[in-house]
Amino acid sequence: MTDRPPTNDDPRDPANGPTPDPAADSGTPPTADSGTPATADPRDIDVPDSGGVPTPEKGSGVPSGAANGLRSYEHWFGEEGRNGFIHRSWMRAQGFSEEVFDGRPVIGICNTWSELTPCNAHLRRLAESVKRGVWQAGGFPLEFPVMSLGETMLRPTAMLFRNLLSMDVEESLRGNPIDGTILLTGCDKTTPGSIMGAASVDLPTLVVTGGPMLNGKFRGCDIGSGTAVWRFTQDRNAGRMTEEDYAAAESGMSRSNGHCMTMGTASTMACMAEALGLQLTGSAAIPAVDSRRYSLAQQAGRRIVEMVHEDLKPSDILTRDAFANAVRANAAIGGSTNAVIHLLAIAGRVGVDLSLDDMDEWARGVPWLADLQPSGQYLMEDFYYAGGLPAVLKEILPLLKADAITVTGRTMGENVANAERIDWVGQEKGRPGAAVIRPVGNPLGSGAGTAVLKGNLAPDGAVVKQSAASERLLQHRGKALVFSSIEEYDLAVDDPDLDVDEDTVLVLQNAGPRGYPGMPEVGNMTIPRKLAEIGVDDMVRISDARMSGTAYGTVVLHVTPEAAVGGPLALVRTGDWIELDVPGRRLHLDVSDEELEKRRADWQPPAPPTDRGWARLYVDHVTQANQGCDLDFLVGRTGSAVARQSH
């Protein structure tokens, strides 16, 4: 507790002014007056003084207000007798006075902070700003930790643990005296994992992401996290970059707190949270170290208290229209292919019917407007200065479901009505037509979002990020060079005698959700050294893995069913011809059905990667990529019913 607690003044006393009632009159949906202003600046929200909660009798130590419908009050802090004594008494050990037990909303600040997750290392400070806002609005903030998933450190992959984080969030919210929650997230899987858990409980929820790092710097140029790693590593392998420069770039890439400042998965999922309506307008792109990030966090703390009084829940926000908005926003910003899996998983938790075919249809024809790495040239800091996501959404507003409700209490259309696209051109100031965010009439391209491919090699689908692929390879036919594991490929990639040329199709098996396990970001296999040395910078690569949202290239991912469960990918042999036709949405293995049946008869499933712990549970129950890689028994919503007494 870093700020003074609220006073004990009764907000119902006329001397203290009227208390707005967000549920007044006819029970109609929240009006524009109750939410964030339509501009990207969220600092002007009107907030009730203390939420209109009852005041305890002074000195009694026991709340005297009638039941107010809040689970924290009715089942914990408002109880009389032994259980109420226990709940209040042990909370007093932290120095909380009796005012906090008066029936005000308890806001759980769900924090994925960890020093092992560099992207989230500043979230404890952000939590303090949230607390100030909660106190201001008459709530009672309580911060708690959940599992943190750092993509840069955690092995074998953070994706293995996304569902475990969701379970941690779900059970923490349901089992504790919490009426609404702020999700503090940042690194790739912490945002979708936290949203999945909160959606399953369906208490009022608002997402506050940690924000991107400042632009990386190397020899006077901006460099992007992740994207620069892949490019510089390729240059070093080809002899175009010295070891000294490689080390210098390493020291200049990550200059501040925050997640990747490219449009990688972390930035993409922050934008998806905003496009879904779960995050305050304009918040996704604010740099982590910008004071406006902390101002917005305080505002979020105020807003979540209002949302509890309004009973505005994820199930009200996460409609099919909201997912359509997110998919189209992802196409317009050139977002990560990983968003596909996470959006499918979130939809599964709230019972929204969402398929790969829907996502492919919604993304077609959407103009690509954000000139951001890895597909473009600029970075998230530039994106924010250019107007951020609201500017993009306003440009494509005719393609969106503008009446979708959001955490602001307003619709998406209202939120972005006054958004402004600023002709910020980053490093290339003065260069004609090089704005970070293009106007809808002058896009970088059209229909360049994530494409869904199907065919006999991917009966249930595969994806490719068109904006990051080479146009010359979008229609390609080549011979397969097959590797059964990423380790096998890594051993071969530097071999000068490797039988490979620029038309070869590199195929990686057994890197899917069950096969690895966890579906790691290894799909963007490094270009073989012998080809990199002669200037080859892209090849068709196919796998059941994922790739980092910061990566680029003509990389076909999420091939489903995966090899480890006997999908057709497991039956590919070196020398087979493969046809890729992205415009035609086709991925074809040019092998007869009879031959494939013979190979299937000889196929043996790989040994399970583990026989214990979480990984065993994951392998036994994880769904395939086209279903979001959730655990089969977690799909759906359980709700916030309070469990039986613990004493």
Side-chain angles (χ1 to χ4, degrees), residues 476-499:
H476 181 78
R477 188 171 189 268
K479 285 188 176 181
L481 179 59
V482 181
F483 298 88
S484 63
S485 71
I486 190 61
E487 290 80 9
E488 181 183 349
Y489 181 77
D490 288 342
L491 287 173
V493 69
D494 292 335
D495 185 353
D497 297 323
L498 187 65
D499 186 12

Side-chain angles (χ1 to χ4, degrees), residues 575-638:
D576 290 345
W577 286 93
I578 293 177
E579 299 174 23
L580 171 65
D581 180 5
V582 175
R585 299 300 196 261
R586 184 168 180 261
L587 184 63
H588 180 72
L589 177 63
D590 195 6
V591 174
S592 69
D593 291 342
E594 293 77 14
E595 174 61 22
L596 289 177
E597 285 305 313
K598 290 179 182 178
R599 295 180 186 181
R600 185 174 299 283
D602 294 334
W603 178 79
Q604 295 293 322
T610 183
D611 63 355
R612 60 170 285 126
W614 167 253
R616 169 67 181 272
L617 183 66
Y618 179 93
V619 168
D620 287 349
H621 291 279
V622 70
T623 62
Q624 289 292 288
N626 64 313
Q627 298 172 307
C629 296
D630 203 355
L631 300 192
D632 52 20
F633 60 81
L634 291 178
V635 175
R637 186 170 65 245
T638 306

Side-chain angles (χ1 to χ4, degrees), residues 548-577:
S548 169
T550 68
Y552 53 88
T554 311
V555 185
V556 177
L557 304 154
H558 312 180
V559 172
T560 310
E562 64 175 302
V565 300
L569 187 69
L571 309 180
V572 183
R573 300 290 181 264
T574 293
D576 290 345
W577 286 93

Side-chain angles (χ1 to χ4, degrees), residues 525-555:
M525 294 171 274
T526 307
I527 301 297
R529 183 183 291 268
K530 64 183 287 187
L531 298 181
E533 288 174 344
I534 61 172
V536 175
D537 58 2
D538 195 11
M539 299 173 66
V540 174
R541 287 155 278 180
I542 299 174
S543 74
D544 47 11
R546 298 178 301 113
M547 76 174 180
S548 169
T550 68
Y552 53 88
T554 311
V555 185

Side-chain angles (χ1 to χ4, degrees), residues 40 73 131 183 205 219-221 535 547 618:
Y73 184 80
K131 289 178 187 177
L183 304 178
T205 298
R219 296 198 180 283
C221 296
M547 76 174 180
Y618 179 93

Side-chain angles (χ1 to χ4, degrees), residues 144-220:
F144 63 95
V146 290
M147 186 178 190
S148 190
L149 309 178
E151 190 65 60
T152 57
M153 302 291 172
L154 192 57
R155 296 191 179 194
T157 170
M159 184 62 181
L160 175 62
F161 304 102
R162 183 201 65 181
N163 301 336
L164 182 56
L165 166 61
S166 80
M167 292 176 70
D168 191 351
V169 172
E170 177 178 349
E171 303 303 338
S172 294
L173 291 177
R174 185 180 295 114
N176 282 293
I178 292 171
D179 302 305
T181 185
I182 293 279
L183 304 178
L184 291 184
T185 71
C187 196
D188 297 11
K189 311 308 174 293
T190 60
T191 298
S194 297
I195 292 173
M196 289 162 63
S200 295
V201 182
D202 204 30
L203 291 170
T205 298
L206 198 158
V207 177
V208 175
T209 51
M213 291 183 256
L214 297 177
N215 292 354
K217 298 290 183 180
F218 172 64
R219 296 198 180 283

Side-chain angles (χ1 to χ4, degrees), residues 70-72 77 91 96 100 103-111 127 130-144 173 176-184 203-206 208 297 300-309:
L70 297 181
R71 64 199 299 275
S72 66
F77 300 137
M91 289 300 290
F96 294 120
V100 300
R104 68 190 64 206
V106 176
I107 304 301
I109 302 174
C110 179
N111 200 341
V130 173
K131 289 178 187 177
R132 286 198 295 270
V134 174
W135 284 124
Q136 286 175 333
F140 179 17
L142 292 171
E143 181 184 356
F144 63 95
L173 291 177
N176 282 293
I178 292 171
D179 302 305
T181 185
I182 293 279
L183 304 178
L184 291 184
L203 291 170
T205 298
L206 198 158
V208 175
R302 294 167 59 192
R303 177 59 192 151
I304 188 61
V305 176
E306 289 187 315
M307 289 175 63
V308 171
H309 291 303

